[in-house]
Amino acid sequence: MPIQKIHHVAYRCKDAKETVLWYQKYLDMDFVLAIAENEVPSTKEPDPYMHIFLNAGGGNILAFFELPNSPEMGRDENTPAWCQHLALQIDSIDEMMEIKKKMEADGINVVGPTDHTLFQSIYFYDPNGHRLELAANTDTPDMHKKLDDVKWDMLEEWAKTKRAPQHAQWMHEKEFSS
């Protein structure tokens, strides 16, 4: 495979400075680069922008564009808000809960933790309205083997019925039984 890794993922933001400060404060991401032009290099369109880059750890870069001459940001209204999100892995459930506590102390609504069996996670929105997930792994090789054994059967059943196959129902038993 010629792809080595994801170079960066870019989203739009409402305010570049606010975004940098928020990601530094809550997720401890370093601000690594800013690029600003009055013309888009790829298309040559006259459209000033600020492009910021944050270190998301492990060689991963999260980037944002502030576009002051574009209409206000929106989102895909045909997709549920819970669906489009960026999931970031962290070291432990304890670390995740400390971040949750810090956010809630500042009035940020945090959902979870949610038990996905393979990982525990919390969900919240950044100041731009992007949904984020912090995930702390709780998986085992046996869990991955069980899922690997059924993935194609699940995909085939879904393709035919558009109904959730029950092969991996065990993953969310705790969430749905409480």
Side-chain angles (χ1 to χ4, degrees):
M1 174 186 289
I3 295 176
Q4 298 171 354
K5 67 177 187 173
I6 293 174
H7 187 274
H8 68 275
V9 175
Y11 291 94
R12 186 167 172 199
C13 67
K14 297 174 184 174
D15 182 300
K17 184 177 178 182
E18 176 188 43
T19 299
V20 167
L21 296 176
W22 191 91
Y23 277 84
Q24 283 180 326
K25 179 177 182 176
Y26 295 108
L27 301 180
D28 203 25
M29 289 188 188
D30 289 331
F31 177 37
V32 295
L33 177 66
I35 299 172
E37 300 286 348
N38 288 313
E39 184 178 302
V40 180
S42 59
T43 65
K44 310 301 185 265
E45 292 174 69
D47 194 3
Y49 66 87
M50 170 58 72
H51 194 19
I52 56 172
F53 297 77
L54 301 160
N55 182 348
N60 298 290
I61 300 294
L62 178 58
F64 293 90
F65 283 98
E66 182 179 343
L67 306 169
N69 292 345
S70 293
E72 189 174 314
M73 282 176 46
R75 62 170 214 80
D76 177 0
E77 294 299 326
N78 293 321
T79 300
W82 60 264
C83 187
Q84 292 180 333
H85 66 278
L86 175 64
L88 303 166
Q89 182 177 318
I90 59 173
D91 284 333
S92 69
I93 293 172
D94 289 341
E95 185 179 41
M96 180 179 73
M97 297 309 288
E98 281 300 313
I99 293 169
K100 176 182 178 176
K101 185 176 164 183
K102 183 177 183 178
M103 289 181 165
E104 288 178 336
D106 285 347
I108 297 171
N109 183 42
V110 180
V111 173
T114 300
D115 186 350
H116 298 287
T117 301
L118 299 176
F119 55 94
Q120 301 271 326
S121 60
I122 59 174
Y123 301 89
F124 49 90
Y125 290 89
D126 79 356
N128 307 296
H130 299 299
R131 190 169 200 238
L132 301 173
E133 173 183 10
L134 292 185
N137 287 334
T138 55
D139 56 342
T140 66
D142 184 54
M143 290 176 191
H144 285 282
K145 170 81 170 94
K146 285 170 69 174
L147 292 169
D148 189 55
D149 288 347
V150 298
K151 66 186 178 194
W152 284 105
D153 292 338
M154 289 178 69
L155 186 60
E156 288 299 327
E157 185 176 328
W158 176 263
K160 291 175 186 165
T161 67
K162 300 301 183 204
R163 296 260 184 227
Q166 301 301 303
H167 302 72
Q169 188 175 7
W170 55 271
M171 287 182 60
H172 289 108
E173 280 177 345
K174 292 177 196 168
E175 281 299 319
F176 291 124
S177 65
S178 23

